[in-house]
Amino acid sequence: MLLYHPAMVEVFVERGNQLADSRRLMDNDPQYASALALVSIHCAIALNDAFLSKVTGRHHRGEDHMESVRVTRKQCSSRRIPSDGVKHLEDLVRAKTRVSYSGERTTIEVAMRLAIASERFERWVRPLIKT
Amino acid sequence: MGTAIDQDMTNVRAIGRPKINARLRHGRAVNAVADFLRGHLRVPNVYLEPKSALWKGVDVVAADGAGSGDIHAAEVRFLSYPISLPAARALIEEVKNVPAHFKYLTVNKNSVSLTLGDGSLMFSPDGIGRVGLLMIEETQDALLSVELAVKPERFRLPPTDAARVERFLDRAKPDMFVRI
């Protein structure tokens, strides 16, 4: 018996795919530094929601995305899944407030650094969300 | 960029060109090569004159993709005399032995030329990999510019070397990196 709804996981995967494609399109383009940073962060959040939906049947709904990082770590620990990829999600979530709401302009270097973190998280999580 | 020291903005009155000894010259070249790699790679983690037996003779190491990608390593050599083809071959062989995907020899442009013969000595014996050549030029304002004279081609990194590089990357703190 499946503990999750495949359709729900699929929604998050699709969202993550679109954001990953956008990230690739804007890669290394200084004209889109802020957008690149934002899609990088949200791509990882969407793919993590796919992972949590699959393993728990639920995804994170609150404003505090760091809580979803904690839940992910806990799930990895209880299922003996190597959690080395989760640190990239944590870096992205930590950067989210600054990139989304602060008055500071996002540089292309920071955006690229976030894009790389997003890619690394994606590499870690993809095999775990295959249906 | 303009002159190295803006005398209107500082109280320092530079008299003539700064006297730069060999150590300063080398250090400035290392910085210039690091900047060059930073500008051509994808937010790399850069290590200056890494203190490790792994990087003997290497002046700049750059791990592309914030440390997750290919390894670039450069040696900086200021030449002050004509060097023969056998000496150039020895220099290139030294660079070829560096445990990196992309390997660069950096020499001063306005010195006596480096003899490379037909250039085939830059290639790996199996053709997978070519040593890149960077030229450093000192301008009239004592600024340094770096130019890519020979484009590097990616070498294979044997598994044992790859493991040693990973251990270095795990413990060493980069001198240049992008914080998030």
Side-chain angles (χ1 to χ4, degrees):
Chain A
M1 190 183 87
L2 286 178
L3 294 176
Y4 63 92
H5 293 286
M8 184 161 75
V9 175
E10 206 176 289
V11 166
F12 290 118
V13 170
E14 188 183 90
R15 193 173 295 162
N17 288 345
Q18 290 179 14
L19 289 163
D21 286 344
S22 305
R23 189 190 66 212
R24 279 185 277 274
L25 282 172
M26 291 187 282
D27 194 49
N28 209 14
D29 191 339
Q31 236 185 329
Y32 295 96
S34 292
L36 175 59
L38 288 165
V39 301
S40 298
I41 292 166
H42 285 280
C43 172
I45 289 173
L47 293 176
N48 191 53
D49 281 341
F51 170 71
L52 289 178
S53 297
K54 187 170 179 193
V55 300
T56 68
R58 291 189 303 276
H59 69 282
H60 174 72
R61 287 174 190 269
E63 285 294 321
D64 179 14
H65 290 282
M66 202 52 84
E67 178 59 22
S68 72
V69 175
R70 285 187 281 269
V71 171
T72 299
R73 277 197 201 282
K74 208 168 160 192
Q75 288 299 322
C76 288
S77 172
S78 63
R79 289 159 201 278
R80 295 177 200 264
I81 298 172
S83 63
D84 46 311
V86 182
K87 66 176 178 285
H88 305 302
L89 176 68
E90 190 173 356
D91 287 342
L92 289 156
V93 165
R94 196 175 291 120
K96 184 178 183 293
T97 302
R98 192 173 71 248
V99 167
S100 303
Y101 307 117
S102 91
E104 269 174 49
R105 184 169 279 126
T106 302
T107 65
I108 187 59
E109 288 78 21
V110 167
M112 288 296 299
R113 182 65 186 83
L114 290 169
I116 288 166
S118 182
E119 286 165 17
R120 286 160 94 170
F121 178 73
E122 187 184 353
R123 266 203 298 275
W124 174 81
V125 80
R126 286 274 183 203
L128 303 171
I129 55 178
K130 262 194 195 142
T131 49
Chain B
M1 264 179 95
T3 54
I5 300 174
D6 186 327
Q7 295 188 353
D8 290 334
M9 290 190 67
T10 68
N11 287 324
V12 172
R13 291 227 174 260
I15 300 168
R17 287 157 63 93
K19 286 188 175 47
I20 295 180
N21 61 28
R23 180 68 189 106
L24 285 182
R25 195 182 184 204
H26 189 263
R28 292 186 75 222
V30 166
N31 229 4
V33 169
D35 270 345
F36 176 87
L37 289 176
R38 266 190 2 167
H40 287 78
L41 302 179
R42 224 173 147 234
V43 287
N45 288 350
V46 181
Y47 306 81
L48 305 181
E49 297 180 324
K51 302 276 182 286
S52 164
L54 181 65
W55 303 114
K56 186 167 176 277
V58 173
D59 295 294
V60 182
V61 173
D64 204 0
S68 64
D70 285 346
I71 306 300
H72 295 245
E75 292 195 12
V76 177
R77 296 283 178 273
F78 278 101
L79 305 177
S80 55
Y81 47 84
I83 71 170
S84 62
L85 186 54
R89 193 184 302 276
L91 201 46
I92 301 285
E93 286 304 313
E94 185 186 305
V95 174
K96 278 183 191 172
N97 285 331
V98 168
H101 297 101
F102 291 91
K103 315 181 197 212
Y104 305 79
L105 172 64
T106 313
V107 297
N108 41 323
K109 189 176 182 183
N110 49 5
S111 74
V112 199
S113 63
L114 177 72
T115 305
L116 294 177
D118 63 1
S120 57
L121 61 87
M122 309 285 277
F123 289 97
S124 167
D126 64 2
I128 299 175
R130 178 168 79 166
V131 173
L133 186 64
L134 295 173
M135 299 279 204
I136 287 208
E137 186 173 21
E138 198 172 45
T139 68
Q140 277 190 327
D141 299 327
L143 292 173
L144 294 181
S145 69
V146 177
E147 181 190 312
L148 181 67
V150 174
K151 193 175 172 197
E153 291 170 21
R154 194 179 187 273
F155 284 80
R156 276 193 269 234
L157 193 59
T160 42
D161 282 348
R164 292 171 71 204
V165 170
E166 284 303 317
R167 281 197 294 275
F168 168 81
L169 295 177
D170 278 342
R171 56 159 220 275
K173 207 164 158 32
D175 293 289
M176 299 174 173
F177 61 99
V178 175
R179 277 184 202 79
I180 52 171

